[in-house]
Amino acid sequence: MSRQRHAVVTGSSSGIGAAVAARLAGAGWAVTGWDRRPGDGTGLADWRRVDVSDAESVQAAAREVTETDLLVNSAGVGAIAPSAELKPRTWERVVGVNLSGTFYCAQALFPALSARRGLVVNLASVMAHRAVPGRAAYCASKAGVVMLTETLGVEWAEHGVRVVAVSPGYVRTPLVAEGFANGNLDEAAIAARTPLGRLAEPEEIADLVLTLTGAPFAYLTATTLRFDGGWTADGVFPR
Ligand code: NAD
C-alpha cells in the first residue's frame, strides 16, 4: 500500500485554502491547516493557529511537521487605498502576510519538503502581472511572490523540491464577496472583463493544485501559471 500523502495548507479557514484542504482530504491526503483564525475544519487532520507574517509563529508550527509532500501558501490579505495615502502599517501588513509569510512558510518547511521531494504552490494573482490603481501593496507583494517562486524553484531543484505559483483571476471567495458587498467590486464588470466571461470557483483552484501534484507535472518548477480565464492576456481594446 502506498504511503498517505501529507500537505500543509495556509489560509485553510476560508476561500481557496479551505477548498484546497477539502479537495486534498477527499483524495485521501492528511492535511494540516495553518491559519490565524479557525474555520469549520472540513477536511483537516490537524489545525494550528499560525500568523504567517510572524516568522517565530511559523517556525513553531513547522517544528511539528517532519515530512510533507506539499505546501500551499494561500494565506493572503488585500488593501485598497490611493498610494499617496497608504499607511506604512497597511503596507507592512499586506507585504508581511502575502510575501514574507510565503517565504517564512516555505523556508521553515524546507527540511520537511526535501524529505519527501515535495511541492510548494504559492497563490499569486493576476495583480502580480498587471497594475491596478489603489492596490500598490497587493500588486507589489504578489509580484514578489512570482519572483520568490522562481528563485526558490531554481535553488531547491537540486533537493527535489519544486516551487510553482498560480495567478488566479477573480475567484468567488469570502474575500471577493466582501468586495461585492461593500461596493469595491462589481461582479458583472469582472465577468465582462474576463474573456471566459465569469469568475473562477475556489474548487477549480483546488482541482488545479491537486493536479499539479501528479506525475505529469514532475518537470514543472520555478514558474507561474496564469489561471485567469484569459484576464492578463486581454489588452481590453474597445470592442
Ligand atoms: P480569504 O480571505 O477567503 O482567505 C484567506 C485566509 O487567509 C483566511 O482564512 C485568513 O484568516 C487567512 N490569513 C490571513 N492573514 C493570515 C495570517 N497572517 N496568518 C495566517 N492566516 C492568515 O481569501 P481567498 O480569496 O481564499 O484568497 C486566498 C489567496 O488567493 C490569497 O493569497 C489571495 O491573495 C489569493 N488570490 C485570491 C483571489 C480571489 O479572487 N479570491 C484572486 C487571486 C489571488
Side-chain angles (χ1 to χ4, degrees), residues 14-16 35-37 50-52 74 124 138 142 169 171 173 176:
S14 178
I16 294 169
D35 204 298
R36 65 181 170 182
R37 61 179 175 81
V50 177
D51 175 356
V52 299
S74 190
Y138 189 79
K142 293 299 187 179
V171 186
T173 68
V176 167

Side-chain angles (χ1 to χ4, degrees), residues 62-140:
R63 278 195 284 274
E64 294 169 23
V65 182
T66 50
E67 293 190 8
T68 195
D69 300 279
L70 174 66
L71 164 64
V72 181
N73 279 306
S74 190
V77 292
I80 302 177
S83 293
E85 296 161 20
L86 185 67
K87 292 186 169 46
R89 205 177 41 201
T90 306
W91 170 273
E92 282 159 15
R93 185 173 64 91
V94 174
V95 174
V97 176
N98 296 357
L99 179 55
S100 304
T102 297
F103 177 67
Y104 296 153
C105 292
Q107 183 189 50
L109 286 171
F110 172 70
L113 286 158
S114 44
R116 289 203 185 175
R117 304 179 73 78
L119 169 69
V120 180
V121 178
N122 297 324
L123 268 298
S125 165
V126 289
M127 291 182 200
H129 315 282
R130 295 290 179 272
V132 179
R135 268 93 163 170
Y138 189 79
C139 289

